Amino acid sequence: MLSLLTTTATALALYFGNVQAFWRLECEGSSGLARLDPLMSPGTVSGHVHSVKGGSAFSPTSKAGDLLDSNCTSCGVAQDMSAYWAPAMYFMHDNGDVELVPEKPPHKSYYLLHTGSTHDGEQQTVEPFPNGFQMIAGSNSNRNSTLPDPDPNPLGPWPKDSQDERAQRALGFNCLHYAAGDNEPTLMRHQLPDKGFLDSKCTDGLRLELQFPSCWNGQLDGGPSHKSHVAYPDGVSVGNCPEGYDRRLITLLYETIVATDEFAGKPGQFVLANGDPTGFGYHGDFIAAWKDDTLEKALHACNEQVSSGQMKECPVFEMTQDSAKCKLEAPLPPAIANEDVKGPMKGLANGLQVAYGPASAPKPGKPAAEGISNPGGVQASQSEVATVSIPASSAPSDPYVPAPAKPIFENKKVVKPQAQAPAPTPAPAAAGLPPSERVLTTTQYTQGQEVIEVLHEEIVEPVVITTTIVGGQQGKAKEKRKEHVRRHVHHRHQGGFGR
């Protein structure tokens, strides 16, 4: 059962929170597709394949200074030589053959000018990414989640959530079905849907979404993890920052549409390049390299005027021509110079195995463990079936609607952190709910100039998870869940915040 209450608003502040403007950086093509990762595998080859966007000087050793000398960028603004990369998506046929799932350009990197408050309630101002700033969002080895899926409350806030839990909420797998007009909100679904659901529901493909942290301690990098210098606010995209991370950077959001619809009706499964069929290990990397203080100038000149997201409306940005033709300048390292990363091929690149979890995935070269398939995904002839019953998870709290505030840019020096983020708070227990209990939640979103409030009524019932044991190892757990309500409310287009 689902009811809609529709009201009209004169602004989009109810959905976008404190944001006054945003910029949608579109990348018409990938500059590279290879096992490259200068953050996690500097000077060598990466364990898995990444789809790379941005400056053409990207390489295993590239820093911001190298990127600034790029001959071109595969993205839409000529002054932006930054690097944006994330794992590619593959389809694994039942016979073990693997092939690349094509992307549907453009890839979008949203620069959202969200403000918020410090841990002690002081109003923040938006700061640009300084050149040399770099960070990673998501966890390559994660194969488990504590969150309900789909998320009944993607807007938050979650003040008691740990940073790990907020990072899980920063993942999105958006089912696209334009003709039906019922596409989903950004960051509503935190798990990669199974093949049957994608074939029947996602007729226009799947949008991979990744929200980066925006709370900052002033350092350019966060050590070996490239994460400790940033944190998520309590609303993941909007809200208040934790102590020790009181400065507010531009909020970065990746959106990449992959053509899962091209594989409809074909037996097999989708898997990320890092051997992840769950989506919990989706991640992305970023190195900031903007020429001529462009971001600072744009924050001064266009922090309110660009409400459509189109960067061409801001005179500070110079738009590129033929960006899809921009490719990496340097030759690939000899170890991967002739590596097939598109397929069809036998198994994933680097011989990666498919790790279903819930245990973390092993590093490449580690022996297979429970929950990890044989290379190439070829199934053994014998299997066993085990079943276990678990209660469905409970619903989070009501949606958060922060008050609008005007972002004002201020020059600040890079400083060292003063404190660490708060200790993680355990997720609330989901067990103990009686069968057929009613859960009511509401969610607000915008469509055009209207603000929509959705009232959800859900029935909590036990669900059964069936696990197949393949060749003595645990295969993928598939959850069969009876849903009394499925919400599909999102903009009818390929980007979460407008064309």
Side-chain angles (χ1 to χ4, degrees):
M1 180 183 299
L2 182 144
S3 301
L4 291 179
L5 299 176
T6 304
T7 58
T8 302
T10 59
L12 301 180
L14 284 178
Y15 180 78
F16 293 120
N18 312 54
V19 69
Q20 298 293 314
F22 68 95
W23 304 317
R24 185 175 59 248
L25 178 69
E26 297 187 350
C27 305
E28 292 295 338
S30 295
S31 53
L33 180 72
R35 287 198 290 126
L36 299 176
D37 189 342
L39 291 190
M40 295 306 297
S41 304
T44 183
V45 297
S46 172
H48 55 271
V49 176
H50 291 101
S51 179
V52 183
K53 280 81 177 176
S56 58
F58 185 88
S59 75
T61 59
S62 57
K63 303 289 186 181
D66 305 310
L67 292 169
L68 287 169
D69 290 332
S70 296
N71 293 329
C72 61
T73 175
S74 63
C75 299
V77 174
Q79 301 106 315
D80 179 26
M81 298 299 169
S82 303
Y84 313 82
W85 69 101
M89 175 77 78
Y90 287 88
F91 182 71
M92 182 171 287
H93 297 268
D94 276 356
N95 66 357
D97 288 349
V98 175
E99 60 180 299
L100 181 71
V101 179
E103 295 180 3
K104 296 184 178 184
H107 163 90
K108 301 182 182 72
S109 293
Y110 287 91
Y111 280 61
L112 307 171
L113 307 188
H114 288 299
T115 61
S117 298
T118 63
H119 77 281
D120 53 1
E122 292 187 10
Q123 180 66 38
Q124 294 171 314
T125 57
V126 180
E127 299 183 53
F129 299 115
N131 283 341
F133 175 85
Q134 48 195 31
M135 64 176 167
I136 292 176
S139 173
N140 173 50
S141 62
N142 189 34
R143 297 294 184 272
N144 195 19
S145 176
T146 60
L147 304 179
D149 192 77
D151 195 332
N153 180 31
L155 293 181
W158 307 278
K160 295 183 179 181
D161 272 13
S162 68
Q163 283 295 314
D164 284 344
E165 289 165 329
R166 293 178 191 178
Q168 293 173 29
R169 296 187 187 277
L171 300 176
F173 299 91
N174 196 296
C175 177
L176 300 178
H177 187 183
Y178 302 131
D182 57 358
N183 297 306
E184 302 170 345
T186 301
L187 303 181
M188 184 194 83
R189 196 179 295 278
H190 307 304
Q191 180 175 6
L192 178 63
D194 63 29
K195 181 67 162 52
F197 182 86
L198 288 168
D199 283 1
S200 62
K201 301 293 185 181
C202 312
T203 57
D204 293 294
L206 184 72
R207 187 170 67 225
L208 311 179
E209 302 164 340
L210 181 64
Q211 182 83 66
F212 283 76
S214 58
C215 301
W216 186 38
N217 68 14
Q219 294 184 339
L220 293 179
D221 198 0
S225 71
H226 306 288
K227 295 180 181 181
S228 63
H229 59 319
V230 289
Y232 285 100
D234 57 16
V236 176
S237 179
V238 298
N240 303 324
C241 289
E243 185 174 0
Y245 299 85
D246 283 332
R247 296 171 65 174
R248 194 58 165 261
L249 291 168
I250 293 172
T251 301
L252 187 64
L253 170 69
Y254 286 0
E255 287 188 351
T256 306
I257 298 177
V258 288
T260 54
D261 51 302
E262 292 188 9
F263 297 87
K266 298 180 180 180
Q269 66 174 336
F270 294 101
V271 60
L272 295 170
N274 59 348
D276 177 19
T278 69
F280 300 139
Y282 188 58
H283 58 280
D285 304 55
F286 170 67
I287 299 177
W290 282 80
K291 292 183 176 180
D292 305 323
D293 298 322
T294 303
L295 277 186
E296 177 181 345
K297 295 174 183 176
L299 278 173
H300 281 298
C302 307
N303 66 355
E304 288 185 316
Q305 294 89 332
V306 185
S307 59
S308 69
Q310 297 188 37
M311 301 187 83
K312 65 182 181 181
E313 293 185 8
C314 178
V316 175
F317 297 126
E318 299 174 8
M319 308 309 294
T320 57
Q321 302 294 328
D322 298 326
S323 61
K325 298 180 180 179
C326 181
K327 302 300 177 184
L328 299 184
E329 302 167 21
L332 295 176
I336 58 173
N338 298 312
E339 185 174 49
D340 183 7
V341 294
K342 293 184 178 180
M345 52 195 181
K346 288 296 182 182
L348 294 168
N350 198 28
L352 287 182
Q353 297 176 325
V354 179
Y356 292 98
S360 296
K363 293 181 179 180
K366 295 283 186 179
E370 290 266 331
I372 304 171
S373 76
N374 49 332
V378 182
Q379 296 186 353
S381 58
Q382 299 297 322
S383 64
E384 300 176 2
V385 177
T387 62
V388 60
S389 180
I390 63 172
S393 58
S394 58
S397 58
D398 290 337
Y400 171 55
V401 183
K406 179 179 179 180
I408 304 174
F409 173 75
E410 294 180 355
N411 290 314
K412 296 185 179 180
K413 297 181 180 180
V414 174
V415 297
K416 294 183 178 180
Q418 298 178 348
Q420 298 296 322
T425 302
L433 289 177
S436 301
E437 181 177 352
R438 297 171 68 246
V439 177
L440 297 179
T441 60
T442 61
T443 298
Q444 289 179 325
Y445 70 98
T446 59
Q447 187 172 27
Q449 295 296 316
E450 293 185 330
V451 175
I452 312 297
E453 184 177 20
V454 183
L455 174 66
H456 312 276
E457 179 181 6
E458 302 181 8
I459 307 298
V460 179
E461 292 187 353
V463 298
V464 175
I465 289 182
T466 301
T467 302
T468 303
I469 308 301
V470 180
Q473 298 173 341
Q474 182 176 341
K476 182 178 180 182
K478 297 183 178 179
E479 179 178 341
K480 299 179 179 179
R481 175 180 298 174
K482 181 178 181 181
E483 296 184 1
H484 292 257
V485 177
R486 186 183 301 275
R487 180 188 49 165
H488 300 279
V489 283
H490 195 43
H491 308 69
R492 288 183 56 185
H493 50 69
Q494 296 181 354
F497 296 99
R499 289 195 179 276

